[in-house]
Amino acid sequence: MVTTQAASVLRGSPYRADCPTRRILDRIGDRWTVLIVGALSDGSARFSELRRRVEGISQKMLTQTLRGLERDGIVSRTVHPEVPVRVEYALTEAGRTLREPLRALEEWSIAHLGDVSASQKAYDRED
Amino acid sequence: MVTTQAASVLRGSPYRADCPTRRILDRIGDRWTVLIVGALSDGSARFSELRRRVEGISQKMLTQTLRGLERDGIVSRTVHPEVPVRVEYALTEAGRTLREPLRALEEWSIAHLGDVSASQKAYDRED
DNA sequence: CGGGATCCAAGCAGATACTG
DNA sequence: CAGTATCTGCTTGGATCCCG
């Protein structure tokens, strides 16, 4: 989507496809972005190290997500032309400022995980 | 995945599939949740009103997302058995506390949209 | 080591038709 | 009005192979 529909959607009010929040959410909502930003919060890391930190991610998704983050200026990519190539990834300044809102979300998650789980169980039991 | 791998993943450190943040992100990252929560921040609304506020959403996705949010205890659903049925949706207490972290994310988006766009253009131009 | 390219399966989401 | 049900296309993402 966001192809032919995009044009017609652009008319609208808030909560629209062109809304900045929407743009960012499309990025951070992709399941891996937050994990990668989190993994890089401790400091820079190379490709294989990231792959180990973000357990469960495939090589394809790691590459793809990193490209997107690099494109958005959230992550920097540095190639060291050594014998076996070494590539370092790190948060940019913008990336570091993103940690705060993400942490807020994480704290909410931790604080409400119990409530959410309980609510889910209650919902599934009846109905 | 998360099937056979899940067991082996459970050993791990942070950034795992069972991590609370991950659970929440799977929910808010689904493209519509944040928009709906935002639309309900102004107060309760009925189905058709929500559909108008969150422009571009299909009836199916609105229903589906609302069910998920109701299950998570973030949104409440009240059926008024009147002549034409009237269904009111509103944020629960938990839902209201979620507005804050989401707003933080939104503010970051607005603050950095320019940087991100510029970075994207620069990235696309070269390379 | 750090990917790029390709193939393919599963799930997500839109359009449409029907219901209490 | 507020959905449910179904059919179907398209995207997402894993697996695999290959390259500098």
Side-chain angles (χ1 to χ4, degrees):
Chain A
M1 46 80 236
V2 187
T3 51
T4 46
Q5 286 227 324
S8 65
V9 169
L10 290 179
R11 289 168 298 162
S13 11
Y15 314 127
R16 268 341 82 48
D18 59 325
C19 154
T21 311
R22 183 77 154 263
R23 300 269 305 271
I24 302 299
L25 282 170
D26 284 348
R27 175 121 298 291
I28 71 141
D30 72 6
R31 180 187 187 87
W32 296 117
T33 293
V34 175
L35 286 307
I36 291 177
V37 171
L40 286 174
S41 291
D42 312 326
S44 68
R46 46 196 301 188
F47 190 83
S48 43
E49 171 63 19
L50 271 179
R51 198 171 174 183
R52 251 171 287 120
R53 288 195 197 172
V54 185
E55 196 174 312
I57 195 170
S58 67
Q59 172 263 322
K60 178 185 177 180
M61 281 303 100
L62 181 54
T63 301
Q64 193 170 298
T65 309
L66 283 171
R67 288 293 172 277
L69 287 170
E70 189 192 356
R71 196 175 97 102
D72 290 349
I74 293 177
V75 158
S76 68
R77 176 176 183 269
T78 315
V79 181
H80 301 273
E82 302 172 353
V83 196
V85 198
R86 187 165 59 93
V87 181
E88 286 273 330
Y89 290 95
L91 290 181
T92 62
E93 183 50 39
R96 281 189 287 276
T97 66
L98 183 55
R99 286 185 301 183
E100 269 310 296
L102 288 187
R103 248 189 5 87
L105 209 54
E106 190 174 0
E107 278 174 24
W108 187 93
S109 306
I110 295 171
H112 293 84
L113 183 63
D115 301 341
V116 169
S117 290
S119 177
Q120 289 178 349
K121 276 177 191 150
Y123 184 94
D124 294 342
R125 216 173 310 116
E126 59 187 88
D127 172 60
Chain B
M1 46 95 228
V2 187
T3 49
T4 45
Q5 286 225 324
S8 65
V9 168
L10 290 179
R11 289 168 301 161
S13 12
Y15 318 128
R16 264 345 78 47
D18 59 325
C19 153
T21 311
R22 185 78 154 262
R23 299 269 307 269
I24 301 299
L25 282 171
D26 284 348
R27 175 121 298 290
I28 71 143
D30 72 6
R31 180 188 185 88
W32 295 117
T33 293
V34 175
L35 285 309
I36 291 177
V37 171
L40 286 174
S41 291
D42 312 327
S44 68
R46 47 196 301 187
F47 190 83
S48 44
E49 170 63 18
L50 271 179
R51 198 171 173 184
R52 252 172 284 122
R53 287 195 198 173
V54 185
E55 196 174 312
I57 194 171
S58 68
Q59 173 265 328
K60 178 186 176 178
M61 281 303 101
L62 181 54
T63 300
Q64 193 170 298
T65 310
L66 283 170
R67 288 292 173 280
L69 288 170
E70 189 192 356
R71 195 175 98 102
D72 291 349
I74 293 177
V75 158
S76 66
R77 177 176 182 268
T78 315
V79 181
H80 301 275
E82 302 173 354
V83 195
V85 197
R86 187 164 61 91
V87 182
E88 287 272 330
Y89 291 94
L91 291 181
T92 62
E93 181 52 37
R96 281 190 287 276
T97 66
L98 182 55
R99 286 184 302 182
E100 269 310 296
L102 288 188
R103 248 187 6 86
L105 210 54
E106 190 175 0
E107 277 174 26
W108 187 94
S109 307
I110 294 171
H112 293 83
L113 182 64
D115 301 341
V116 169
S117 290
S119 177
Q120 290 178 348
K121 276 177 191 150
Y123 185 94
D124 294 342
R125 217 174 308 119
E126 59 188 270
D127 172 61

